[in-house]
Amino acid sequence: MNLLGNLIWLIFGGFAAALGYFVMGFVFCITIIGIPFGIQCFKIGIFTLMPFGKKVVTTSSSGGCLSLLFNLIWIVTGCLYTACVHLVFAILLFITVIGIPFGRQHLKLVELTLMPFGKDIVTA
């Protein structure tokens, strides 16, 4: 069932969203300061390709103050907009019964795109 959900997800916008995260990851990695943010974009992009069967967990070694600082910088530099877009898509998909599983994936992406530092993706 996860394979079918991931295939439908890729066809109806998952690939385009992941491509956007990958492009921004490359843009961030151009500078040395942006490399940690680029790595998070790649992590979110890989998760966006195949979200079914995976979940986002908080790591035990969350990074402390540095993780908090990077998450604050991440929020200020535009991720709040991306999280809101995922939230709007989740609400729209929850209107139909067929869209509920896809709306749940967007809610997982909201959690990850809002504060990616200190989070890890594991198989559910």
Side-chain angles (χ1 to χ4, degrees):
M1 200 65 177
N2 289 336
L3 178 65
L4 181 63
N6 283 327
L7 286 175
I8 294 171
W9 176 268
L10 282 175
I11 292 170
F12 290 106
F15 182 74
L19 190 63
Y21 283 117
F22 291 140
V23 167
M24 283 312 298
F26 284 119
V27 169
F28 274 126
C29 285
I30 290 173
T31 65
I32 293 174
I33 296 171
I35 289 175
F37 301 100
I39 290 171
Q40 297 305 316
C41 282
F42 291 134
K43 179 171 74 172
I44 296 169
I46 291 170
F47 181 65
T48 305
L49 281 176
M50 303 271 184
F52 286 90
K54 296 179 183 173
K55 66 179 182 175
V56 179
V57 295
T58 304
T59 59
S60 60
S61 60
S62 62
C65 294
L66 191 58
S67 177
L68 176 66
L69 176 67
F70 280 174
N71 278 328
L72 289 175
I73 293 171
W74 180 268
I75 288 172
V76 170
T77 58
C79 91
L80 191 60
Y81 170 76
T82 307
C84 288
V85 168
H86 283 299
L87 185 62
V88 167
F89 278 119
I91 292 169
L92 290 175
L93 286 167
F94 274 119
I95 292 172
T96 65
V97 174
I98 296 172
I100 290 174
F102 301 101
R104 291 182 67 211
Q105 304 314 310
H106 276 289
L107 289 179
K108 285 196 269 186
L109 283 165
V110 167
E111 178 185 1
L112 187 61
T113 57
L114 197 56
M115 299 180 106
F117 291 95
K119 303 273 191 211
D120 199 12
I121 302 165
V122 296
T123 305

